[in-house]
Amino acid sequence: MRLSRCAILLLVLFAGVSTASARVVRIEVLKRTPVLNGQSFGSAGPYEEITARVYFAVRPDDPHNRIIVDLDKAPRTAAGEVEFSSDLYLLRPIHGGNGSLLLEIPNRGGKGLIRLVDGAPADNFAGGDAWLLRQGYTLADLGWQWDAPGLRLYAPVATDNGRSITGLLRDDFTPVAATNDWPLGHVIVGRIGGTEYPVANPSDPRNILTVRDSPEAQRTVIPRSEWSFAKSTNGRLTLSDRDLHLNSGFQPGRIYELVYVVKDPVV
């Protein structure tokens, strides 16, 4: 059991390694709360839960950062850097612990270390066997997605000489049940997993919807007259720049792919 735990911990650590260069400007602590009213976790003692915000700065002229799309169009400080921030969540032993910190960069804003390693329910450190806490680890979760509903990243807004930037976006999805409407935002476990990119121009000829039965299958273009950027509301079809409507309905198990022109989202 201990070997599998260590393998998981190493996987989490290496998954967060990045070659991009950034520096921490400051950390703002928003809230500190004793875990379970000061309950002791073996020799590690009591823990505290910390909610914070980390502020970063990156240089657009650093070669490591050239992979970041439109970074050169983001607002800069007097020092020529682009600043952004992220939500930070910490579980740390109050009296020092074992001196090791495990950093998780969570998917969709959730926290998974406790669930994956200790067997606790999602976002609930009180469950499971508390192995990580009894060993004295400090646990950190840092948001990295701007559209996540939980821990998130707060990215600067890039512009092209003061104008909004638009471009093509590809979105594929596979419904689990038949439906005529589908949100443009990411859907996970039956709920919206993030903020969608709204369509810039519903009538743009570059907006294309296709369907296929497997990842390797040939895509079939769905005629433009058969779908629209709209949704059904109280039995009526209303236009929407954040929803997709298919007259014949989306079928479960099929892969739909939408390529469309997006505009800056309002978050």
Side-chain angles (χ1 to χ4, degrees):
M1 183 63 172
R2 178 163 297 182
L3 178 61
S4 63
R5 292 181 192 270
C6 291
I8 291 174
L9 299 181
L10 288 173
L11 177 62
V12 171
L13 285 174
F14 282 108
V17 173
S18 171
T19 58
S21 176
R23 70 182 183 91
V24 174
V25 177
R26 69 184 187 278
I27 299 177
E28 179 184 6
V29 175
L30 304 175
K31 184 179 180 182
R32 306 176 79 126
T33 307
V35 170
L36 299 180
N37 297 316
Q39 172 184 315
S40 181
F41 292 89
S43 60
Y47 267 69
E48 66 175 342
E49 184 180 23
I50 299 176
T51 301
R53 186 104 164 248
V54 184
Y55 293 83
F56 301 91
V58 296
R59 297 197 63 86
D61 56 357
D62 188 318
H64 296 94
N65 298 326
R66 290 175 183 169
I67 194 175
I68 305 175
V69 177
D70 293 332
L71 179 64
D72 60 323
K73 297 180 176 62
R76 304 190 191 190
T77 65
E81 296 177 314
V82 174
E83 292 189 345
F84 63 97
S85 63
S86 293
D87 291 326
L88 174 65
Y89 174 82
L90 285 170
L91 279 178
R92 62 178 296 272
I94 296 176
H95 303 302
N98 65 11
S100 298
L101 180 146
L102 303 178
L103 172 64
E104 178 185 24
I105 310 298
N107 186 41
R108 308 315 310 167
K111 300 185 286 288
L113 272 174
I114 290 291
R115 175 174 54 83
L116 291 172
V117 182
D118 286 359
D123 294 345
N124 180 8
F125 45 76
D129 60 12
W131 184 85
L132 286 173
L133 277 61
R134 289 187 286 105
Q135 300 304 312
Y137 284 102
T138 294
L139 310 182
D141 288 272
L142 185 68
W144 70 278
Q145 292 165 283
W146 68 270
D147 64 335
L151 298 174
R152 57 171 294 187
L153 177 145
Y154 302 87
V157 177
T159 60
D160 187 3
N161 294 322
R163 295 174 298 181
S164 297
I165 297 175
T166 61
L168 289 174
L169 181 145
R170 184 186 68 83
D171 176 27
D172 62 47
F173 57 92
T174 302
V176 297
T179 180
N180 288 90
D181 300 315
W182 193 264
L184 298 183
H186 178 65
V187 176
I188 181 171
V189 197
R191 64 180 177 84
I192 299 294
T195 303
E196 64 282 330
Y197 281 95
V199 62
N201 180 6
S203 60
D204 194 303
R206 291 174 293 176
N207 301 330
I208 299 175
L209 179 64
T210 63
V211 63
R212 64 190 191 276
D213 292 321
S214 69
E216 297 80 19
Q218 184 71 29
R219 292 173 174 81
T220 299
V221 176
I222 300 176
R224 190 64 181 84
S225 59
E226 293 297 314
W227 61 275
S228 57
F229 290 98
K231 65 177 178 179
S232 301
T233 304
N234 297 325
R236 298 181 59 184
L237 191 63
T238 58
L239 298 180
S240 171
D241 63 355
R242 297 172 181 266
D243 295 274
L244 190 63
H245 177 86
L246 181 61
N247 297 341
S248 58
F250 298 103
Q251 300 302 310
R254 307 195 76 187
I255 302 173
Y256 295 88
E257 181 179 284
L258 174 67
V259 177
Y260 68 111
V261 182
V262 299
K263 61 183 178 181
D264 293 333
V266 177
V267 296

